[in-house]
Amino acid sequence: MERVLGLGVGPLAAGTVGLLILLKVIQRLRHKQNLQDKVVVITGASSGLGKECARVFHAAGARLILCGRDQKRLQEVVEELRNKNNNGKIQTYTPCTVTFDLSSTSLVSSAAKEILKCHGHVDILINNAGISYRGNIMDTHVSVQRDVMETNYFGPVALTQAILPSMVDRRSGHIVVISSVQGKISIPYRSAYAASKHATQAYFDCLRAEVDRFGLQVSVISPGYIRTNLSINAVTGDGSQYGVMDKTTAKGWDPVDVARAILKAVCHKQKDVVLAGPLPTAAVYLRTLWPALYFRLMASRAVKEQRVKEE
């Protein structure tokens, strides 16, 4: 009898694991969001990650509303998508555009009204627009810190709060924010950027809890380095343009892969997603589990970076 039971444990365990995996797959499929005909707003859509998001969400059949500061560049994206051949597999639509500067929070309310006029509602809001920063805290004017916060934090907050009531009324909607690994950990000479992303993480974590009772979804996406012009367009301590492609940025993720990962996160309604390599991901856990070691490593990194600059 014992021999029979012993022989049955392995298959039973394997069967149980297989059943659990099957149930997990079924659960994910049941909760998967179909993007066909969904109204999707993307800020910072004229270049970089925003432009790639526009491409993948357009290919998925979404009705896009592309936002940015440069109408000409937005229109170029529209023309590209309009001429895209999808072989008739999925119904696609010509995107709408709304031009405004996200850092001018006084203009966001009127921009939100214009956005809502496009299709009458918003299903998915992707807060992607942002600016980076490189500089020494001691050499950085507080106005620069404030400017980065206006674009990376107050802008998305203002737009979210302007769109939110319409989502609550419909009891339907998904708010996405593109944060950064630096919203979870900080590295030297990124103070303004890291601070804005930390604030973003905290705000949207609170929002997720508060709107859950209305059936709304909130996703925070935290990529690591992406091969875009973010570092080139970054501001320095005096507000001037950094103008350099960092080596880490040049070796970062392909923005196409990040856009696809964002699409997947939206489809599966994932709440918090880190898109980074093993070292940044490990640093996120190290900051929590062994903070003293993390602080020593960051101090050492600051010294090394300063020596490189002096050389």
Side-chain angles (χ1 to χ4, degrees):
M1 184 66 178
E2 291 178 357
R3 187 176 181 182
V4 173
L5 289 173
L7 291 173
V9 169
L12 180 62
T16 301
V17 171
L19 180 60
L20 290 173
I21 292 174
L22 179 61
L23 290 173
K24 185 70 175 178
V25 170
I26 292 173
Q27 184 181 33
R28 290 190 67 184
L29 289 174
R30 283 181 61 192
H31 291 286
K32 184 176 180 180
Q33 184 170 199
N34 184 358
L35 297 179
Q36 181 68 60
D37 297 330
K38 296 291 186 182
V39 178
V40 179
V41 177
I42 304 174
T43 65
S46 63
S47 63
L49 180 58
K51 185 175 181 178
E52 295 302 334
C53 283
R55 287 170 174 162
V56 298
F57 278 85
H58 176 265
R63 297 177 184 268
L64 297 181
I65 304 173
L66 306 181
C67 304
R69 294 179 298 178
D70 191 326
Q71 175 60 31
K72 182 181 177 181
R73 293 175 68 186
L74 284 176
Q75 196 57 41
E76 289 173 355
V77 178
V78 170
E79 292 304 318
E80 176 193 324
L81 298 180
R82 178 185 289 161
N83 297 324
K84 195 81 171 178
N85 183 9
N86 67 347
N87 299 318
K89 294 180 180 179
I90 294 178
Q91 175 67 49
T92 58
Y93 305 92
T94 300
C96 300
T97 62
V98 177
T99 307
F100 67 102
D101 188 346
L102 195 65
S103 66
S104 300
T105 51
S106 60
L107 303 177
V108 171
S109 179
S110 59
K113 292 178 182 177
E114 190 175 347
I115 287 170
L116 289 169
K117 285 180 181 178
C118 292
H119 296 288
H121 70 279
V122 171
D123 292 302
I124 301 166
L125 168 61
I126 301 179
N127 290 294
N128 165 74
I131 188 171
S132 194
Y133 155 89
R134 302 289 187 275
N136 186 316
I137 289 176
M138 291 187 291
D139 299 329
T140 300
H141 195 278
V142 70
S143 64
V144 173
Q145 302 275 2
R146 185 178 290 110
D147 288 344
V148 174
M149 288 294 291
E150 286 288 350
T151 300
N152 290 359
Y153 176 71
F154 287 109
V157 166
L159 183 58
T160 295
Q161 294 191 183
I163 299 293
L164 187 60
S166 65
M167 289 185 170
V168 171
D169 288 343
R170 297 177 66 242
R171 293 297 194 272
S172 177
H174 193 155
I175 297 168
V176 182
V177 62
I178 310 304
S179 182
S180 167
V181 168
Q182 292 183 55
K184 297 179 179 293
I185 58 172
S186 300
I187 63 175
Y189 308 111
R190 306 288 193 279
S191 61
Y193 183 74
S196 68
K197 294 302 184 179
H198 270 65
T200 296
Q201 179 80 49
Y203 173 87
F204 284 92
D205 281 352
C206 288
L207 178 66
R208 183 187 301 111
E210 293 183 21
V211 301
D212 180 73
R213 62 195 175 101
F214 301 117
L216 306 188
Q217 304 294 322
V218 176
S219 299
V220 178
I221 313 296
S222 301
Y225 294 109
I226 309 172
R227 291 200 306 272
T228 67
N229 289 333
L230 189 68
S231 69
I232 294 176
N233 296 327
V235 295
T236 62
D238 62 3
S240 61
Q241 188 176 25
Y242 184 59
V244 177
M245 173 70 78
D246 290 333
K247 291 181 180 179
T248 48
T249 301
K251 296 178 180 178
W253 281 40
D254 188 322
V256 176
D257 293 332
V258 178
R260 289 172 180 164
I262 292 168
L263 178 74
K264 179 182 176 182
V266 170
C267 286
H268 292 287
K269 301 178 182 179
Q270 295 174 284
K271 292 176 170 54
D272 195 85
V273 181
V274 175
L275 302 174
L279 285 178
T281 302
V284 172
Y285 290 101
L286 185 64
R287 172 65 176 81
T288 300
L289 301 174
W290 197 352
L293 176 58
Y294 171 81
F295 296 146
R296 286 201 298 271
L297 291 173
M298 289 302 105
S300 176
R301 175 171 177 155
V303 171
K304 289 178 182 179
E305 288 195 25
Q306 186 59 39
R307 285 175 181 168
V308 170
K309 290 177 183 178
E310 291 173 352
E311 292 173 358

